[in-house]
Amino acid sequence: MKHPLDIIALDGGWLCLDFINTVSGRIPGMGNEYLNTWTDFIHWVRRAGVLPEPEWIAWSLLPAGNIDEVRTLREALYALFEHLIRTGSIHPKDLDVFNSFLHEVYPHTRLRSTADGLRRGIDPGPHPEKPLWFIALSAETLLLSDRLPRVKACDNCGWLFLDTSKNGARRWCNMQTCGSQTKAKAYYHRKKNN
Ligand SMILES: [Zn+2]
């Protein structure tokens, strides 16, 4: 049987958003935890393609890191983006918390040349926290990008996603799962009210 995190939906459209979506939902009463153990995180890192496969294998054999730290970063990122979506601005406290993560990550980064110009990368070599550094940099890139206003929360489950639709009117993390449920609910309520 496959580990549940080998098949979790990646509907966020951006690494740090998929990471935030490692609970079953963000609506009160829906928040089943998916990252209960370091092993869960190992499966998710592979699923999300955070590290190239050979590097993932080497990393997965390192002594387990602290899953609490993983969830701390996730909840800090959720708080930051959720506040932004709800109010249109970033809370200074959330930014302070995220900056303290970036302070930890930056000593492990270096600029490298790519076909698209210079990019910030991570030092080679395995390190237990390396996937968290990639996630933090993914959040930084999104926060600095002009796509930031397109980060949204699903109307049905509260998962975060980057709306890449042409008209910017997407409301659900996934049309098949959440969109159809919302439509079914609306249909049900209409019927009930008749
Ligand atoms: Zn959803």
Side-chain angles (χ1 to χ4, degrees):
M1 210 178 95
K2 282 205 162 195
H3 189 283
L5 291 181
D6 291 338
I7 49 170
I8 187 175
L10 301 175
D11 291 323
W14 200 271
L15 177 62
C16 69
L17 301 180
D18 285 327
F19 177 62
I20 289 168
N21 295 342
T22 51
V23 292
S24 60
R26 292 289 182 173
I27 308 292
M30 282 181 71
N32 283 345
E33 178 60 70
Y34 289 149
L35 294 180
N36 291 297
T37 65
W38 189 259
T39 304
D40 294 336
F41 185 53
I42 287 175
H43 282 271
W44 182 83
V45 167
R46 182 188 223 173
R47 166 70 176 150
V50 182
L51 303 172
E53 185 72 7
E55 216 183 308
W56 175 82
I57 292 169
W59 171 79
S60 70
L61 298 173
L62 294 175
N66 185 349
I67 192 66
D68 287 339
E69 251 179 63
V70 174
R71 289 193 297 247
T72 300
L73 173 61
R74 184 189 65 192
E75 293 314 299
L77 290 174
Y78 176 66
L80 186 150
F81 283 107
E82 191 277 332
H83 188 273
L84 173 65
I85 292 164
R86 189 163 38 83
T87 68
S89 67
I90 291 174
H91 196 289
K93 181 177 66 76
D94 293 335
L95 200 55
D96 283 348
V97 172
F98 183 57
N99 269 322
S100 66
F101 277 106
L102 284 182
H103 278 300
E104 287 175 35
V105 177
Y106 265 60
H108 305 282
T109 67
R110 61 178 65 187
L111 292 181
R112 56 194 175 79
S113 296
T114 73
D116 302 318
L118 284 175
R119 291 287 180 272
R120 184 174 294 282
I122 303 270
D123 289 342
H127 190 290
E129 292 184 11
K130 199 168 189 178
L132 296 179
W133 302 339
F134 277 113
I135 291 163
L137 290 186
S138 134
E140 181 195 44
T141 305
L142 186 55
L143 287 167
L144 295 176
S145 115
D146 57 5
R147 285 181 271 189
L148 186 59
R150 287 293 195 96
V151 178
K152 297 179 177 180
C154 174
D155 273 3
N156 188 52
C157 73
W159 269 19
L160 303 190
F161 64 90
L162 184 65
D163 182 358
T164 52
S165 67
K166 245 187 191 157
N167 58 5
R170 189 174 142 197
R171 293 169 50 200
W172 302 291
C173 65
N174 183 299
M175 186 59 213
Q176 272 72 43
T177 51
C178 281
S180 55
Q181 273 191 39
T182 307
K183 285 186 172 168
K185 253 191 263 173
Y187 176 71
Y188 172 77
H189 285 302
R190 271 202 308 275
K191 275 188 79 164
K192 215 168 77 163
N193 294 337
N194 282 342

